[in-house]
Structures are given as C-alpha cells and as structure tokens.
C-alpha cells in the first residue's frame, strides 16, 4: 500500500521564479493538506483540499495556491519566489467521513531559493 | 489562536532510560492530538493519535496521554534506544477541518 508520494524531492529555484510541487495521497485518502517547515521549526499549515476545493487556509499570501485533481492528487504552486520560501514542503493526506483519522505525511520536497 | 509548545527543545539521555516528552496547547477545544517522529531532513512518521474523547494510547514502548482540561499531552518512551534519536513533534487538530497546529518539536538523542 503506497503511502503519500511527493515530487520532486529536491528543487533549487531563483528568486522571482515560480514552482510547482506535486503530491499523491495515500490510497483511500481523499483530503490533502500542505505544510511549510522552516529549519528548526514545526510545520506551518498552508491549506487543505477536499473535493477539489480549498477548504481551509493558513496565514500564507496569495502567492501560494493549489489544486486538487479528480484522482485526489494535488499541486502546490508558489509564484514570485522569495528567499524566505526556502523550506521543506510537506504534503499530508487523510480521509474525511465526518471525523478526522489523523494524517499520513510524505517525505517532503526540499525547496531552496537562491 | 492555538499555540503549541514543546518542552524541552532538546534532550540527551543514555540508552535504556525511560523518558517523557511534553506538549502543551492553549485552546482545549481540539478534535485530536497526534505525535510524530521526524528524522533529519525527512518527512513525518505518525506514532500515536489520541482522539479528544480518549485519555491515552499505547504502541509498543510508546505511551501518549492527553489531558484536554489542562491543555497537556505527554509522550512516554520506555527503555530508550539509539534508534529512537529523532525530533518528536506533537500536533493538535482543531475541529477536524484539517488544520493542524504543530509545536517546534523536541530533539532527542539517545547515547549508546
């Protein structure tokens, strides 16, 4: 049973560029959440997608956007990259039946902005 | 706004010792609390999930407790091993909307 898959594993971008990160949820999961983790800190919630819609959003600017596809996979897009966007981006999946069942995390994408 | 604090930030113990990691949160209206392990540069591995109606969960040498009224959770690790060395994170889920708030973690080093 495949867990949460994220791609790419590492990425280096130049300030001002745009980036797209991808996530495939665990089999049977229909909800995807994205988190940003700076070095030495806990993950910060970016947003969550369920039924192809953004359901919840954390305190992140509009430069951060996302999408969920009919097969439940998801993309995170970041425009106009800043040096401060350098972080580990984590995708978490779960299933929603009226109750949360905890989250399964992927291994993350390490984004470096230079 | 929910805030999650983990104390201590770092802990070093000799192999075989029993230890307790602490997690506190400011808003007791949580749906569940989850403990994770993170190895350097890696993703998060779920250890234990405690629903708001539960008081504790056990898995092998790990035991997590939850006291909503006081806004506290503890993770007890018995007979620690060098392989337990990692950062341990707690996260609270508020209302089941998928927005979990994390602490900054406790980095554990178990010395042989």
């Amino acid at each position: 049973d495949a867990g949460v898959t994220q791609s790419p594993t590492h990425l280096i971008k130049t300030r001002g560029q745009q980036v797209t990160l991808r996530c495939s949820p665990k089999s049977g999961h229909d909800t995807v959440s994205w988190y940003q983790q700076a070095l030495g800190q806990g993950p910060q919630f970016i947003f969550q997608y369920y039924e192809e819609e953004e359901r919840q959003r954390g305190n992140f600017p509009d430069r951060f956007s996302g999408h969920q596809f009919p097969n439940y996979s998801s993309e995170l897009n970041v425009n106009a990259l800043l040096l401060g966007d350098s972080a580990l981006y984590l995708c978490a999946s779960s299933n929603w039946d009226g109750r949360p069942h905890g989250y399964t995390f992927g291994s993350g994408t390490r984004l470096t902005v230079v | 706004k929910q805030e999650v604090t983990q104390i201590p930030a770092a802990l070093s113990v000799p192999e075989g010792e029993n230890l307790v990691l602490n997690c506190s949160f400011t808003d007791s209206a949580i749906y569940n609390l989850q403990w994770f392990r993170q190895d350097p540069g890696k993703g998060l591995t779920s250890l234990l999930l405690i629903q708001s109606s539960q008081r504790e969960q056990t898995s092998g040498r790990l035991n997590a407790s939850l006291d909503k009224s006081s806004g506290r959770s503890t993770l007890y690790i018995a007979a620690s091993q060098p392989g337990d060395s990692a950062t341990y994170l707690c996260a609270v889920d508020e209302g089941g909307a998928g927005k979990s708030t994390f602490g900054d973690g406790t980095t554990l080093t178990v010395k042989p």
Side-chain angles (χ1 to χ4, degrees), chain A residues 54-93:
Chain A
E54 183 182 294
R55 298 289 178 165
Q56 281 274 316
R57 189 177 183 92
N59 189 26
F60 279 80
D62 292 344
R63 298 187 298 107
F64 290 77
S65 63
H67 188 77
Q68 186 178 35
F69 299 94
N71 66 353
Y72 308 120
S73 67
S74 177
E75 289 182 348
L76 164 65
N77 301 292
V78 186
N79 295 321
L81 285 167
L82 304 174
L83 296 179
D85 295 331
S86 296
L88 181 67
Y89 287 84
L90 295 164
C91 171
S93 73

Side-chain angles (χ1 to χ4, degrees), chain A:
Chain A
D1 181 21
V4 177
T5 304
Q6 291 188 244
S7 63
T9 55
H10 295 83
L11 202 53
I12 300 175
K13 288 287 189 178
T14 303
R15 189 172 46 183
Q17 285 188 316
Q18 179 265 343
V19 68
T20 297
L21 310 181
R22 296 176 175 81
C23 172
S24 293
K26 181 178 179 179
S27 178
H29 286 183
D30 56 9
T31 302
V32 173
S33 300
W34 287 92
Y35 289 81
Q36 179 195 65
Q37 186 179 24
L39 202 60
Q41 297 182 15
Q44 299 291 315
F45 176 78
I46 303 175
F47 43 53
Q48 183 202 48
Y49 277 85
Y50 173 66
E51 292 186 332
E52 301 181 48
E53 290 189 10
E54 183 182 294
R55 298 289 178 165
Q56 281 274 316
R57 189 177 183 92
N59 189 26
F60 279 80
D62 292 344
R63 298 187 298 107
F64 290 77
S65 63
H67 188 77
Q68 186 178 35
F69 299 94
N71 66 353
Y72 308 120
S73 67
S74 177
E75 289 182 348
L76 164 65
N77 301 292
V78 186
N79 295 321
L81 285 167
L82 304 174
L83 296 179
D85 295 331
S86 296
L88 181 67
Y89 287 84
L90 295 164
C91 171
S93 73
S94 62
N95 61 319
W96 178 253
D97 58 4
R99 300 181 303 131
H101 296 276
Y103 299 93
T104 301
F105 279 80
S107 297
T109 294
R110 172 71 63 185
L111 173 64
T112 302
V113 182
V114 298

Side-chain angles (χ1 to χ4, degrees), chain B residues 93-109:
Chain B
D93 190 341
E94 306 162 69
K99 178 184 175 183
S100 286
T101 302
F102 281 79
D104 286 336
T106 294
T107 299
L108 172 66
T109 302

Side-chain angles (χ1 to χ4, degrees), chain B residues 46-108:
Chain B
S46 178
L47 298 174
L48 291 164
L49 170 69
I50 310 177
Q51 302 287 359
S52 62
S53 59
Q54 298 174 318
R55 294 301 299 267
E56 66 178 320
Q57 281 287 332
T58 298
S59 176
R61 294 183 294 108
L62 306 179
N63 175 276
S65 68
L66 174 64
D67 184 342
K68 280 181 53 179
S69 61
S70 66
R72 294 174 185 270
S73 175
T74 61
L75 178 66
Y76 174 82
I77 302 177
S80 59
Q81 303 171 357
D84 295 330
S85 297
T87 296
Y88 291 80
L89 295 150
C90 72
V92 297
D93 190 341
E94 306 162 69
K99 178 184 175 183
S100 286
T101 302
F102 281 79
D104 286 336
T106 294
T107 299
L108 172 66

